[in-house]
Amino acid sequence: MNHIPFRGFGDSVQVMLTGTVPMLTAQANLVKRYGLHAVAVFVEHRSPDFPDTPTMREHWLDLVCLLWTGIFTAPATPEAVLAQMDEACVRHP
C-alpha cells in the first residue's frame, strides 16, 4: 500500500468511489455513511458492529490501532477484486 495524503475523509472517499484509488483506511462510521465494503479491521477482536469482517490479525498481520479503522472498498467492487485483496491481506510478509 502507498500512503496518499488527502485534506479530509470526504476527498479520500470521493477518489475511492470514482476508482482513482482502489481502497482506503478510515474510521468505521464511513462504512455506513458511504455504503463501503469492509475488508478488514485493525482491532484485536472482531467488532460487534461488523461481526463478519475479519481483523488484520486474522489476515496474519499484527496490526492493531487504538482508533477503529479498517480497509474499505466501494460498494460495487467486483467479487474478483475483493477476493484478490483478501488474498493479498492473508499472505505472510
Side-chain angles (χ1 to χ4, degrees):
M1 286 192 269
N2 293 318
H3 173 69
I4 304 170
F6 289 97
R7 292 182 185 181
F9 290 125
D11 291 344
S12 62
V13 169
Q14 183 63 33
V15 296
M16 189 200 60
L17 292 175
T18 60
T20 305
V21 297
M23 66 180 175
L24 63 91
T25 60
Q27 295 176 346
N29 65 335
L30 296 179
V31 173
K32 292 178 181 171
R33 182 184 302 167
Y34 295 102
L36 304 178
H37 175 85
V39 175
V41 293
F42 296 100
V43 294
E44 290 190 42
H45 306 286
R46 288 194 181 203
S47 167
D49 294 326
F50 300 93
D52 296 328
T53 303
T55 67
M56 290 301 287
R57 283 184 173 169
E58 288 177 81
H59 284 303
W60 302 100
L61 297 170
D62 193 18
L63 297 173
V64 175
C65 295
L66 296 177
L67 297 175
W68 195 104
T69 59
I71 298 173
F72 312 105
T73 64
T77 302
E79 286 297 322
V81 173
L82 293 174
Q84 184 180 24
M85 291 174 70
D86 187 60
E87 184 179 313
C89 286
V90 171
R91 281 189 223 132
H92 291 274

